[in-house]
Amino acid sequence: MRVDVMIIGAGAAGMAAAIKAKEEGAEVLLVERDDRTGGILNQCIHNGFGLHYFKQELTGPEYAERFQEKMDKLGIKAVTNAYVKQIGNREVILVTEKGIERIEVGALVYAVGARERPFGSLMIPGDRPSGIFTAGVAQRLINIENHLPGKRALILGSGDIGLIMARRLVLEGMEVVGVVERLPYPGGLLRNVVQCLEDYDIPLYLSSTVVEVRGRERLEEVVVAKVDESFNPIPGTEKVFKIDTLVVSAGLIPQLKLVDSLVNKNPTSKGVATSNIGQTSTDWIFSAGNCTAVFDLVDYVTYEGETAGKYAAKFVKGEVKGGRIPIKPGKNAAVVHPLWYIPIEPLTLYIRVKRPMEKGRLVAGKFERVFEDLVPSEMLRVRIPDRYLEGLDEIVVSIEEVI
Amino acid sequence: MKAVVIGAGVFGALVARELTRYDLEVTLIEKNLDVGWGVTKANSAIVHAGYDDPPETVRARFCAKGNAMYEELSKELDFEFKRVGSFVVAFNDEELKELERLLKQGEKNGVPGLRILERDELLSMEPSLNPEIKYALYAPTAGITEPWMVAIAAVENAVKNGLKLVLGERVTGFEKANGRVKKVITDKNEYEADIVINCAGLYADEIAKMAGVEYVPIHPRKGEYILLDKKLQGLVRRVIFPAPTKISKGILVLPTVDGGILLGPTAEDLPQDMKDRPITTREGLEKVRSFTKRLVPSIDLSLAIKTFSGLRPESPQKDFFIGVSESVKNFVNVMATRSPGLTAAPAVAKYVVEELIQEKMKLQLMKKESFDPHREGIKRYASLPLEEWQKEIEKDPRAGRMVCFCNEVTEKEIVEAIRRGARTLDGIKFRTRAMFGRCQGGFCMVKIMKILARELGVDICEIRMNSKGSWVVNGKVRE
């Protein structure tokens, strides 16, 4: 079998890519390992999705449904319960319950998202009882499987998923004794700190972490301690919480497995490195969404998916031309995406700062703009007009603190 | 005649299997809900070459012998065993003396192929090692395996040959008459016995006390480990030991059979009442980190996927305690099976049945014609050539439905594991490697719970991680 554009992953990025590639005239094949399209959106039943893209607040499933409807109209049918065994040279080996197929592709859009950092990788000492879940697993259990993960919980990590899960657990009748964050500031969006913790009187313990878990069979208690600047626990600050459930929200890791040996990585995001059109270092492989960088908003993922899908289709038609100008992370830039600029499409930069700043001046090529209240947890998304990039050999992106 | 084996770790499992070669009614009693969940579950998974044990010890008598049996055993029972070889490294001339001592000791113990390598050769074989290492004792016969699979496979094969497996029952006492055990009593049943073999691992001393036989006191010696992602496959190809100290073989770096890298163990003697607490500690994990970094400087702990700890049954004599009781004539102890227990187990099992039971106890056992030594492992579909995998999917579509993406485990393998006796999440994990990969079940645990509930015909709330109290979910969100 041969297709113009194959898209791996039918989450927000993959669905957007499939739609745009099809609209661009390509024959598309969208494959998904889960039993339905939508990806993680399906379990995100809270609202707050779509403010940018649709200018209205939707739940995760509603947001996904809009794209599914569009796909239906365009006649794009996703192949679900599909496992990509391997990506070769313009060839993908796909395994489903119908059998194994080698698919020849004109271009590929790799849109497989991120995975959660598991408890085991945090190297927290103690017992190994049941009752320790990543936030995504807890969320899936409650919102999709209709089962509660426990009775009394502590959340480790104040990223958005951790904050949202704290509220969800309370709403569904569990007790949440607190959220623990090792940084001196919350890891998630400010609006989530207010709407998920403050509104429900859930304490947030900053500069703290879980230093031990205890329980012979099911989790019985955890020990929380304050940490110093290098995250080492401070003796004497230990506090014991009697809980049966620990929800770990320790961050997301872009999934690279299938393309690990095929494409360059973005050292700042730990994801697949792409240009502003979603093209990777291997010309026929495009990538978008949380496998390139972990984004704050699904709306951003959709924009990225659309661009990658559109240009993957154009690539097949031979319409992607022109050199790439490298984008280099400079001072105070913790994450910079994309890593190359091809002047056939305007440049939208995504940046995370290294540390909180009251005021900072973003410099990208000849472009400069001052932003206020910069924090690492809130990604900057900045459209850079072409005129600021003309004639450059490289684009250095940095943020200068303005005092 | 009836034989009862207590404890279904590698020792109990292999002894039970050995007994099913004969015309005997064999019962294997295990307190846990599955086999291989005690000492067997968490150790370094090494089949040692056998140079480490002083020649006068019982350990030395069985180590190299057990090692030599692994090839055939792994073929008969279809578990993974890789004879990867091992290095004991020396950073200086003083440690070189230690290697020379081990070389001599190994030769006395009958370990084949030992030789000392110099820097250039050892670095060409293991390029990731610290370039300051000057020498290495190379033992080509050392190997790696999955210890729990040895137990699972041996029990499956024994069941095929007539073993009665009893899970979730704790031995609470013995009924004796005329200086012999007549019955083994558990918290749920009684079992008549003409022969009793005590393979109760950490608890073997307590079982021996109940039976009123000789014993050595057992205390747990704890080893903490860090498991690293498969991404590092090939970082080392062999088991890398530092030069040993009086206390232990040291903290090592080794490959696991499925491509990960294992670091550890620490060696910490714990009091007797800590037999059920294999906990990791900050100090222990830090020790593992710093000691292994000295051997392989490029070790990157950001690729850690799991930390765990295991307990080994240690005695003051630091040696196995194996024999027929003097006071209770039909009782055999297999105790204090600390390192190299896993390696020695096949040889010990043969010794127990052929020499202790048949010669020492003078019991005439009749070989069964029908004994079949072969067991077939659960097929790993994703490792098959594509054409074969395709045929399997045509036969059963579940072979094409991937459940665990990290370790490529299909629904068919999960269902097969349940058919073979997995009743818990850990039961699935140890049989199939699902949930054993880098995401640690983040994507597949919920799916596996649903498959378990469906296949067993129970509610998802009944699913346990391992023991009875290790519940996973607590009722429905709403009816």
Side-chain angles (χ1 to χ4, degrees), chain B residues 127-430:
Chain B
S128 301
L129 290 188
N130 189 337
E132 286 170 28
I133 292 170
K134 287 187 169 162
Y135 307 98
L137 172 65
Y138 176 44
T141 57
I144 52 173
T145 185
E146 283 177 304
W148 51 87
M149 273 320 297
V150 180
I152 290 169
V155 168
E156 274 183 18
N157 180 242
V159 167
K160 185 176 175 187
N161 288 299
L163 172 76
K164 182 178 173 191
L165 174 66
V166 176
L167 295 172
E169 288 190 27
R170 187 183 295 269
V171 171
T172 54
F174 295 90
E175 192 181 303
K176 290 198 296 187
N178 307 324
R180 299 173 71 84
V181 170
K182 290 285 169 198
K183 279 181 184 170
V184 179
I185 299 157
T186 73
D187 50 0
K188 291 182 188 138
N189 286 298
E190 310 183 341
Y191 300 89
E192 286 179 9
D194 301 300
I195 316 163
V196 178
I197 303 102
N198 172 16
C199 302
L202 286 165
Y203 300 88
D205 55 344
E206 289 164 37
I207 296 290
K209 276 188 241 175
M210 284 179 206
V213 302
E214 307 79 355
Y215 68 92
V216 289
I218 305 286
H219 69 268
R221 168 180 279 185
K222 188 177 69 167
E224 299 187 27
Y225 294 90
I226 301 171
L227 178 64
L228 304 180
D229 197 300
K230 273 187 207 174
K231 220 175 176 170
L232 293 173
Q233 181 156 24
L235 180 71
V236 295
R237 292 177 187 81
R238 296 168 189 79
V239 182
I240 311 297
F241 296 90
T245 63
K246 285 263 181 308
I247 306 160
S248 80
K249 297 187 186 82
I251 299 179
L252 6 154
V253 181
L254 70 147
T256 63
V257 282
D258 66 335
I261 295 286
L262 185 62
L263 313 178
T266 53
E268 186 188 351
D269 288 303
L270 297 181
Q272 288 205 324
D273 61 357
M274 291 287 278
K275 287 178 178 178
D276 64 341
R277 293 313 282 275
I279 58 171
T280 55
T281 60
R282 193 175 158 77
E283 301 72 36
L285 296 174
E286 172 53 30
K287 208 170 168 184
V288 171
R289 189 195 67 79
S290 59
F291 278 58
T292 52
K293 227 171 157 60
R294 188 167 168 257
L295 296 176
V296 181
S298 64
I299 280 174
D300 176 4
L301 283 196
S302 71
L303 291 169
I305 59 174
K306 193 178 170 64
T307 58
F308 64 94
S309 130
L311 301 175
R312 288 96 82 177
E314 182 62 292
S315 69
Q317 293 76 15
K318 303 194 185 311
D319 199 2
F320 302 163
F321 182 76
I322 298 168
V324 181
S325 163
E326 297 291 333
S327 50
V328 178
K329 304 288 185 204
N330 63 340
F331 195 99
V332 180
N333 270 321
V334 179
M335 289 181 72
T337 45
R338 41 98 81 199
S339 180
L342 172 66
T343 314
V348 169
K350 251 198 158 31
Y351 168 76
V352 165
V353 176
E354 291 177 3
E355 292 185 43
L356 294 182
I357 294 176
Q358 301 193 80
E359 285 177 27
K360 193 124 191 268
M361 289 165 72
K362 299 198 176 17
L363 288 174
Q364 285 290 337
L365 300 182
M366 294 285 288
K367 284 227 176 191
K368 271 192 309 209
E369 288 268 319
S370 61
F371 178 79
D372 175 1
H374 297 286
R375 169 251 182 200
E376 211 178 311
I378 299 176
K379 210 174 253 181
R380 294 187 191 285
Y381 297 98
S383 317
L384 295 175
L386 292 182
E387 302 70 36
E388 273 179 55
W389 190 4
Q390 168 72 29
K391 279 184 199 140
E392 295 287 348
I393 298 172
E394 283 165 15
K395 275 191 273 174
D396 186 342
R398 290 176 301 185
R401 219 177 284 151
M402 200 55 72
V403 175
C404 165
F405 301 106
C406 301
N407 282 345
E408 299 192 311
V409 183
T410 65
E411 182 171 342
K412 178 134 167 112
E413 285 148 81
I414 310 279
V415 170
E416 177 61 16
I418 298 168
R419 196 190 67 74
R420 293 179 186 220
R423 294 291 175 268
T424 59
L425 290 175
D426 277 0
I428 301 278
K429 175 165 145 180
F430 287 121

Side-chain angles (χ1 to χ4, degrees), chain A residues 274-343:
Chain A
T274 74
S275 68
N276 61 320
I277 62 165
Q279 195 176 29
T280 70
S281 53
T282 300
D283 63 359
W284 58 279
I285 301 178
F286 290 68
S287 187
N290 283 350
C291 57
T292 63
V294 175
F295 292 88
D296 285 356
L297 300 179
V298 72
D299 308 61
Y300 297 172
V301 169
T302 299
Y303 295 132
E304 290 283 294
E306 288 183 340
T307 308
K310 174 177 153 189
Y311 282 97
K314 282 183 177 291
F315 173 80
V316 177
K317 291 190 276 183
E319 292 172 14
V320 173
K321 289 192 183 80
R324 345 173 112 187
I325 299 160
I327 300 171
K328 298 207 167 145
K331 200 174 170 193
N332 289 323
V335 174
V336 173
H337 168 86
L339 280 195
W340 301 286
Y341 167 59
I342 302 178

